[in-house]
Amino acid sequence: MSTLTAPETTPARTDRGFWLLLWGLYTTQFIGASFLNTGLVGILRDGGTDLGTLGVLQLLALVWPVKFLWAPLLDRWSPGRSRGHYRSWLLILQPLMVLSLLGMALLSDPQRGLGVVVVLAAAFVLFSATQDIAADALSVRGLEREQHDLGAGVQVGASYIGTVVGGGLALLIYDAWGWRAAVVTLALCTAVAMVPVLRHREREVAPVAPAAGRLSTMFGVLSVPGAVRWALVAVPLVALGSAALWSLVTPALVDAGWSLGFIGTVTSVIAAVPALGAALLGGRLCRRVGRGTTLLLGAGIQLLGGLCLVPVVWSDAPGAHGTQVLLGIVGACGVLAGYTVMNTGIYAVNLDISRPGHAGADFTLLSSISMLGGTIGASAGLFLASAAGYGVALLVGLVVAVAGAVACRSHPLLARAR
């Protein structure tokens, strides 16, 4: 095992192959994640799996917010220095992700082999979360500072491609050709990312102190001036409000009388397309008008989306029809696209303040805090909706998200990034 090393003073040239590598890695993470959160849940529920079991399956997602616990280990050790510090991790983790999906394809009926499915799903979540650490570290070390805005757009945008494939395409294939065809397709899509991994050559770097990967240093990024208020106040507010809003969309549309199939199409496919465009646009806007302005623009888009949902959740007419359908689609797209635009600015700052010698641990900790905020926000949004109604929950979610965007906008890290 090798020890992580600090970067050279001369930045590496970021070529087309490196951008393809980032697209491949971040897309494949969310192919499997979206399938487990959306596609697999729908398939198992359609086969009669009880809601309690599905709830346990959803708990597997908690691996992602806590992956900062082992991120320092990836910074310090590598399975093979000659193949590149983080690349050598990817050469192991990416095939393991593929094999865990192929293992599910060996089952003819996921209901009958539910225990095996849960074990393989847990393995995939662990492998993909660890792969994300290595991918984030490569982003921090491989992108020059002036490329952080576009890099953040790729990170966020690729996730929506994965969401469309894992959440939408998988269900379409399942309906047409069955379980095995759907899972094998996802495995093949995940395997494609091995091509840029094999072609990538990670640059050599100089040694650093052995303490770089110890658990005692995992919170070191918070010592960066301004990082505490950024990571523990401003960004969590955006995640709290945005996740609360998004958590309301599906149950609100169900209660409005929409069919589950149509809701799935809207949330997993239709809304993901403008979100992908928003990620790419957000990265370019960060460079042209500044990250603070981009964050406020994202908050405005999300605000409009949330307001479009208000007449949908307060409508007394049952069923999806006419104006309600249009407002529901525009609302879902606006909420997700607005959060995406804000996220590009947030990710770009996270890339800026992550220390290259602790690339995996720093960026992972920052993103884990945001994920934890999102998890709490989603739960709080549903709880508030049950207690006070969708209208109040929507309003509170919008206020919190906008407050977070304003807090980010006024943060000195945004001004420094410009």
Side-chain angles (χ1 to χ4, degrees), residues 112-249:
R112 292 182 180 179
L114 185 58
V116 176
V117 170
V118 172
V119 170
L120 291 171
F124 180 89
V125 172
L126 178 61
F127 299 147
S128 62
T130 308
Q131 183 253 39
D132 183 56
I133 298 171
D136 289 341
L138 284 177
S139 297
V140 172
R141 295 175 62 198
L143 293 173
E144 299 178 30
R145 189 176 183 88
E146 61 269 21
Q147 296 172 318
H148 285 176
D149 295 321
L150 295 180
V154 170
Q155 289 177 317
V156 178
S159 69
Y160 291 113
I161 297 178
T163 297
V164 171
V165 175
L169 180 62
L171 285 178
L172 292 175
I173 294 176
Y174 173 78
D175 284 339
W177 294 291
W179 166 257
R180 282 177 171 163
V183 179
V184 169
T185 299
L186 297 181
L188 291 175
C189 290
T190 303
V192 169
M194 280 302 298
V195 176
V197 171
L198 291 171
R199 293 172 60 89
H200 178 62
R201 293 295 176 265
E202 195 173 343
R203 62 186 174 123
E204 293 290 333
V205 286
V208 296
R214 291 178 183 168
L215 293 177
S216 60
T217 66
M218 69 170 61
F219 300 106
V221 68
L222 298 181
S223 65
V224 174
V228 170
R229 184 157 65 92
W230 172 261
L232 300 183
V233 180
V235 173
L237 280 175
V238 173
L240 276 165
S242 299
L245 288 172
W246 187 246
S247 73
L248 300 174
V249 173

Side-chain angles (χ1 to χ4, degrees), residues 57-378:
L57 189 64
Q58 293 297 299
L59 290 177
L60 296 177
L62 291 176
V63 171
W64 275 69
V66 301
K67 67 182 185 293
F68 70 91
L69 293 173
W70 61 92
L73 300 177
L74 270 74
D75 282 339
R76 180 169 184 177
W77 294 303
S78 171
R81 172 72 181 272
S82 62
R83 296 186 295 273
H85 186 95
Y86 293 106
R87 178 176 175 269
S88 61
W89 282 110
L90 296 174
L91 289 172
I92 294 174
L93 294 166
Q94 200 72 27
L96 287 175
M97 291 165 62
V98 174
L99 289 174
S100 59
L101 291 172
L102 289 177
M104 295 184 193
L106 296 176
L107 303 170
S108 59
D109 184 351
Q111 268 76 33
R112 292 182 180 179
L114 185 58
V116 176
V117 170
V118 172
V119 170
L120 291 171
F124 180 89
V125 172
L126 178 61
F127 299 147
S128 62
T130 308
Q131 183 253 39
D132 183 56
I133 298 171
D136 289 341
L138 284 177
S139 297
V140 172
R141 295 175 62 198
L143 293 173
E144 299 178 30
R145 189 176 183 88
E146 61 269 21
Q147 296 172 318
H148 285 176
D149 295 321
L150 295 180
V154 170
Q155 289 177 317
V156 178
S159 69
Y160 291 113
I161 297 178
T163 297
V164 171
V165 175
L169 180 62
L171 285 178
L172 292 175
I173 294 176
Y174 173 78
D175 284 339
W177 294 291
W179 166 257
R180 282 177 171 163
V183 179
V184 169
T185 299
L186 297 181
L188 291 175
C189 290
T190 303
V192 169
M194 280 302 298
V195 176
V197 171
L198 291 171
R199 293 172 60 89
H200 178 62
R201 293 295 176 265
E202 195 173 343
R203 62 186 174 123
E204 293 290 333
V205 286
V208 296
R214 291 178 183 168
L215 293 177
S216 60
T217 66
M218 69 170 61
F219 300 106
V221 68
L222 298 181
S223 65
V224 174
V228 170
R229 184 157 65 92
W230 172 261
L232 300 183
V233 180
V235 173
L237 280 175
V238 173
L240 276 165
S242 299
L245 288 172
W246 187 246
S247 73
L248 300 174
V249 173
T250 294
L253 296 182
V254 169
D255 291 350
W258 292 34
S259 70
L260 288 176
F262 189 40
I263 293 173
T265 300
V266 170
T267 56
S268 296
V269 180
I270 295 177
V273 174
L276 170 60
L280 300 178
L281 177 63
R284 299 184 187 283
L285 285 175
C286 284
R287 296 183 66 184
R288 295 193 177 187
V289 302
R291 295 170 186 170
T293 302
T294 301
L295 277 163
L296 292 181
L297 177 61
I301 294 172
Q302 190 173 76
L303 177 62
L304 291 176
L307 292 176
C308 286
L309 291 173
V310 171
V312 176
V313 301
W314 277 342
S315 175
D316 294 327
H321 54 84
T323 304
Q324 188 201 63
V325 171
L326 179 61
L327 288 175
I329 292 175
V330 172
C333 290
V335 168
L336 193 58
Y339 182 45
T340 300
V341 171
M342 288 189 283
N343 246 353
T344 55
I346 290 170
Y347 272 48
V349 173
N350 289 348
L351 285 169
D352 282 353
I353 65 178
S354 295
R355 301 163 299 168
H358 307 264
D362 285 2
F363 195 94
T364 297
L365 177 64
L366 295 170
S367 60
S368 293
I369 293 172
S370 180
M371 288 179 190
L372 182 59
T375 301
I376 295 172

Side-chain angles (χ1 to χ4, degrees), residues 29-40:
Q29 289 171 15
F30 284 88
I31 286 177
S34 179
F35 175 65
L36 297 179
N37 293 333
T38 305
L40 182 58

